[in-house]
Amino acid sequence: VLPNETVIFAAGGDLHTVLLTDAGAAFACGDNSHGQLGDGTTESRSEYAAVMASGVEAAALGTGFTHLKVNNGTRYQAYAMGRNHVGQLGDLTTTDRLRPVPVMQLHSVVFIAAGHEHTVFVTNLFEAFVTGNNLYGQLGDGTNYTTSEPIQVTRASASARPGRCLRLPHAEPAWGSASLLLLYSRHSEIRPPPSDDCGDHR
């Protein structure tokens, strides 16, 4: 139970859950055998434990690991904790982490997706980086080599420069953030608007 907290985001993993509040705090509960709750222990919890006190705006949960998108005041940074036996945390090691640790320095991370044992990051430059298990080629880098270092698998087109508004067919404007990836599909063509101004944005 989280008294006096306004929850604005929730994410569920294989056996654990993360809630984010309007104050930017992160709380987690459930299985913690690899430290995925980020409370410094491996003790599973049936009540929510505090993970980070402020700045957290999104979470992505894999099997036994957690990624957080944190606003540090100047950019978004990815933090990770939990299982890391195949490098899915992206911290250049294969060591499980009991507390949130920063992922390798990327340009401002705007979207994170976690799979079973791998992770995908999208930056504000519209570039995708991947890390973790690659046994089945799930990283999309043309190999089957597992990595603990996020590797780049896409490059942005000239029209997708940072800060420029991109319109998706039959969709609201997307401002170089999670909305771009969430709305895009292989049937959608990303095209720049006639001007750089798509209206009000935050």
Side-chain angles (χ1 to χ4, degrees), residues 85 162 175 192 199:
H85 66 301
W175 283 95

Side-chain angles (χ1 to χ4, degrees), residues 2 13-14 20 25 38 49-50 57 68 72 81 94 96 109 112 128 148 153 163 169 171 181 183 185 194 196:
L2 293 176
D14 186 33
L20 307 182
E57 296 193 3
L68 303 174
N72 66 11
M81 61 268 199
T94 53
D96 288 0
V109 174
I112 307 170
S148 63
V153 291
L181 187 63
L183 293 172
S185 75
D196 285 353

Side-chain angles (χ1 to χ4, degrees), residues 8-37:
I8 61 171
F9 183 93
D14 186 33
L15 295 171
H16 70 297
T17 303
V18 171
L19 299 180
L20 307 182
T21 73
D22 60 346
F27 296 86
C29 67
D31 179 39
N32 197 27
S33 54
H34 298 281
Q36 57 263 49
L37 301 189

Side-chain angles (χ1 to χ4, degrees), residues 137-202:
Q138 57 264 54
L139 300 188
D141 66 342
T143 78
N144 295 104
Y145 296 114
T146 293
T147 178
S148 63
E149 177 181 358
I151 55 176
Q152 188 172 344
V153 291
T154 68
R155 295 190 183 278
S157 67
S159 64
R161 65 182 184 272
R164 182 168 190 180
C165 175
L166 301 181
R167 288 191 185 277
L168 307 183
H170 313 296
E172 292 300 312
W175 283 95
S177 64
S179 55
L180 176 64
L181 187 63
L182 290 171
L183 293 172
Y184 178 73
S185 75
R186 64 189 181 90
H187 301 295
S188 298
E189 176 187 359
I190 300 178
R191 62 184 188 275
S195 72
D196 285 353
D197 185 10
C198 290
D200 294 336
H201 63 94
R202 291 184 295 173

Side-chain angles (χ1 to χ4, degrees), residues 18-83:
V18 171
L19 299 180
L20 307 182
T21 73
D22 60 346
F27 296 86
C29 67
D31 179 39
N32 197 27
S33 54
H34 298 281
Q36 57 263 49
L37 301 189
D39 65 350
T41 76
T42 55
E43 178 184 349
S44 295
R45 297 185 179 276
S46 59
E47 293 186 350
Y48 285 97
V51 181
M52 297 185 79
S54 63
V56 186
E57 296 193 3
L61 280 57
T63 303
F65 65 102
T66 303
H67 280 273
L68 303 174
K69 186 184 83 169
V70 179
N71 186 342
N72 66 11
T74 59
R75 67 188 182 116
Y76 291 107
Q77 172 69 53
Y79 284 79
M81 61 268 199
R83 195 177 192 191

